[in-house]
């Protein structure tokens, strides 16, 4: 590990570190535009210049210079100051003076660094250049005259997203950044280039001209549109969420977020349920809370009551519903609303045991029944990193799709899992870190989950210091629901067969409501979607941004989201609806406040109180204790997600997500208005 001196401070850095990283280790701020910690080094903005000795008597780019033993670095010399002023002057020669109308204003790297390192005036009298606008799709707004050619967007598209659709044309002052043939960028991660852009060249199209950063209230949240549990920041003004940005969490989402997580939020304000509704003579009519509760009391369901949880429900809501159902004398709880019925006798068998971050360390990966690019985009980026950067081999069973990296497709027949090709089984058995990822398509095929466990057993993927068996869920509520007991042995079919008098649908919109024709269907949710259309009684609840909650992601990590805004109209937080319903039905659930509900939940399941830790589900020490392995699945595997942008009620209400679906997936052309 080399030792070097930075402005008189001696630091020791790992071998292979750059001078820029050494300066930061010494507590010195180094300005930069092109350098980014998670992208390859370009070295083309020259803003990170420092003075290095021994070396040539000139400033050098610290981002591309390896740190070496005995170096003396100066970040505050007159040479460095003059060099940075010169670079900033050149950057501003062609940059338009449109900060007052630029959406990057207030959080712009160019603004900040020009104040800190610029001269304050320009000596250039020539006209500024202008660049024609480019079209990059419904997510990204472009004003390419502002572009400073840092190439962050190009490197992200190639290295992280895996879609080589952004590049540069021409040279020198004529250089332009554009998408391929100036078409929409076909990536579910495209919104990240807006965060990466250090100027206002790439900004958010749905957020254009909406607000300034100092107007917004910032709240920590968790993305509930999939089961990865990406850490996000919710920016709101008044009672409206205007923007979602990712927060850094190296073990979960690094610093990325997919486009659905970012831009489904305009759906939070439309198609909302803001008062109770009752179905009379086949039609839903508006009602009050007392009237709705009276209708529920009149059924007198007793112990014949069930609860079905939707995909975006928090653990507190599920616990409150469980307390109510159990107080009524029932045990009918289910969260797998689409009909899945896999074995949950040991939750380690349905968990991503390696952890999300360790996926990129695998050297042989077998994907079974999962379109990772749609089911878990930020796990797919980890697999891409393993294949693209570390040379891992990837195999897949399922219909062939573009996962953005090299994959050997073995076929779509589930029977392949019971007899893998020899070169695949040999590769798994000989790997240092073999990884098996089981997706939603595999869990829907009877026996395929067991066949995957049989492969794991034969290849010894569970060993000291490594557990390479993982299930990739798609619902934010899935692991939390399983921990709380939302799983019948036969899945939702068991509840249908029991024909309960009343069923609580907790934001469950994907259920086949015709199967509950003889039950009173009580929908507790926030959008007028499929669940509301099939319900007999609608109780308006809060969306994920309007309540605090606990979520458990697909690796078993417990995380918490905070309230950013308040629910509209007469809508209430889910736990309070269920608590009031308990009084109506004459039972006691053991809590009277949200804090009481959370405390009771943690007392019942202590792991749910260990925030940001991964729950230990206890993988069986002996192979004989594994569940029964059914190695004879049959039938074609089908991926459960048909449209990435329209997977939940909020996304289906979002105009942005509808346009993304129409344009990016279905090829619809949207004409832009002339200006």
């Amino acid at each position: 590990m080399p030792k070097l001196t930075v402005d008189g401070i001696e630091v020791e850095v790992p071998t292979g570190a750059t001078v820029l990283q050494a300066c930061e280790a010494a507590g010195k701020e180094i300005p930069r535009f092109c350098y980014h910690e998670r992208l390859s080094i370009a070295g083309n903005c020259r803003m990170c210049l420092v003075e290095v000795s021994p070396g040539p008597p000139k400033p050098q780019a610290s981002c591309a210079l390896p740190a070496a033993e005995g170096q003396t670095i100066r970040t505050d010399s007159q040479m460095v100051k003059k060099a940075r002023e010169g670079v900033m002057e050149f950057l501003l020669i062609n940059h338009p003076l449109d900060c007052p109308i630029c959406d990057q204003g207030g959080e712009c790297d160019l603004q900040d660094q020009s104040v800190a390192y610029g001269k304050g005036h320009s000596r250039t009298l020539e006209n500024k250049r202008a660049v024609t606008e480019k079209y990059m799709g419904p997510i990204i707004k472009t004003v390419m005259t502002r572009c400073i050619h840092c190439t962050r967007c190009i490197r992200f598209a190639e290295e992280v997203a895996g879609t080589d659709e952004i590049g540069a044309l021409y040279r020198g002052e004529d250089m332009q950044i554009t998408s391929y043939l100036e078409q929409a960028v076909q990536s579910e991660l495209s919104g990240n280039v807006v965060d990466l852009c250090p100027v206002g060249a790439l900004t958010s199209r749905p957020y254009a001209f909406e607000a300034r950063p100092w107007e917004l209230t910032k709240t920590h949240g968790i993305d509930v549109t999939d089961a990865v549990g990406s850490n996000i920041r919710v920016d709101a003004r008044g009672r409206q969420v205007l923007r979602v940005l990712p927060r850094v969490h190296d073990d979960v989402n690094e610093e990325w977020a997919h486009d659905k997580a970012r831009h489904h939020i305009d759906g939070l304000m439309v198609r909302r349920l803001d008062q109770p509704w009752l179905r009379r003579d086949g039609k839903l009519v508006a009602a009050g809370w007392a009237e709705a509760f009276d209708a529920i009391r009149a059924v007198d369901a007793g112990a014949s009551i069930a609860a079905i949880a939707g995909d975006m429900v928090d653990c507190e809501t599920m616990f409150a519903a469980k307390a109510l159902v159990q107080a009524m004398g029932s045990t009918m709880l289910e969260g797998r609303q689409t009909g899945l019925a896999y074995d949950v006798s040991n939750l380690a068998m349905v968990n991503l045991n390696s952890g999300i971050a360790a996926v990129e360390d695998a050297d042989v990966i077998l994907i079974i029944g999962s379109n990772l690019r749609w089911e878990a985009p930020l796990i797919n980026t980890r697999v891409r990193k393993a294949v693209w950067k570390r040379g891992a081999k990837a195999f897949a069973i399922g219909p062939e799709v573009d996962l953005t990296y090299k994959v050997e497709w073995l076929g779509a027949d589930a029977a392949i899992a019971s007899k893998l090709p020899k070169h695949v089984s040999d590769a798994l058995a000989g790997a240092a870190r073999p990884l098996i990822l089981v997706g939603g398509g595999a869990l829907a095929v009877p026996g395929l989950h067991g066949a995957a466990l049989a492969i794991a057993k034969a290849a010894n993927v569970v060993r000291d210091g490594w557990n390479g068996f993982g299930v990739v869920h798609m619902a934010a509520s899935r692991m939390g629901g399983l921990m709380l007991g939302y799983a019948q042995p036969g899945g939702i079919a068991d509840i249908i067969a029991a024909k309960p008098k009343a069923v609580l649908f907790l934001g469950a919109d994907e259920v086949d409501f015709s199967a509950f024709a003889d039950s009173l269907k009580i929908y507790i949710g926030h959008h007028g979607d499929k669940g509301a259309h099939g319900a007999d009684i609608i109780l308006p609840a809060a969306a994920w941004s309007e309540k605090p909650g606990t979520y458990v992601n697909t690796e078993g990590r417990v995380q918490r989201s905070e309230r950013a805004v308040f629910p509209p109209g007469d809508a209430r937080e889910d736990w309070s609806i269920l608590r009031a319903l308990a009084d109506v039905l004459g039972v006691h659930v053991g809590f009277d406040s949200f804090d009481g509900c959370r405390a009771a939940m943690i007392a019942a399941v202590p792991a749910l109180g260990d925030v940001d830790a991964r729950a230990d589900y206890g993988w069986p020490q002996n192979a004989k204790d594994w569940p029964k392995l059914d190695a004879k699945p049959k039938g074609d595997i089908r991926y459960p997600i048909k449209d990435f942008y329209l997977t939940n009620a909020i996304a289906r209400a979002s105009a942005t997500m509808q346009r993304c679906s129409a344009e990016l997936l279905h090829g619809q052309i949207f004409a832009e208005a002339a200006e």
Side-chain angles (χ1 to χ4, degrees), residues 329-352:
S330 174
T331 59
M332 289 186 284
L333 304 168
E334 183 56 69
R336 299 163 295 180
Q337 53 177 329
T338 57
L340 300 180
Y342 43 82
D343 185 0
V344 294
S345 57
N346 187 322
L347 294 187
M349 301 295 180
V350 291
N351 181 54
L352 183 55

Side-chain angles (χ1 to χ4, degrees), residues 465-496:
W466 178 256
N467 187 330
F469 185 82
V471 172
V472 179
H473 295 290
M474 297 171 291
S477 64
R478 183 70 74 244
M479 288 305 296
L482 295 178
M483 293 171 71
L484 288 167
Y486 275 73
Q488 300 293 309
I492 199 171
D494 286 358
I495 296 180
I496 295 172

Side-chain angles (χ1 to χ4, degrees), residues 1 36 47 52 58 69 112 151 154 168 174 191 193 197 233 236 300 333 463 480 486 507 531 542 600 610 660 671:
M1 297 176 66
H36 191 276
M47 194 65 203
V52 183
K58 65 177 183 179
E69 182 72 31
D112 296 340
T151 70
I154 298 175
D174 296 324
V193 301
C197 185
R233 192 187 83 194
D300 192 22
L333 304 168
R463 56 188 74 167
Y486 275 73
D610 201 354
C660 286

Side-chain angles (χ1 to χ4, degrees), residues 511-532:
V511 178
D512 178 9
F513 289 92
S514 64
F516 295 93
D518 298 329
S519 304
L520 177 69
K521 298 177 284 296
I522 306 166
Y523 180 74
I524 303 176
H526 41 76
H527 272 73
D529 202 73
K530 301 174 184 177

Side-chain angles (χ1 to χ4, degrees), residues 11 44 62 106 180 416 539 585 647:
V11 293
N44 54 13
S62 60
Y180 183 65
I416 296 171
L539 304 179
L585 298 176
T647 55

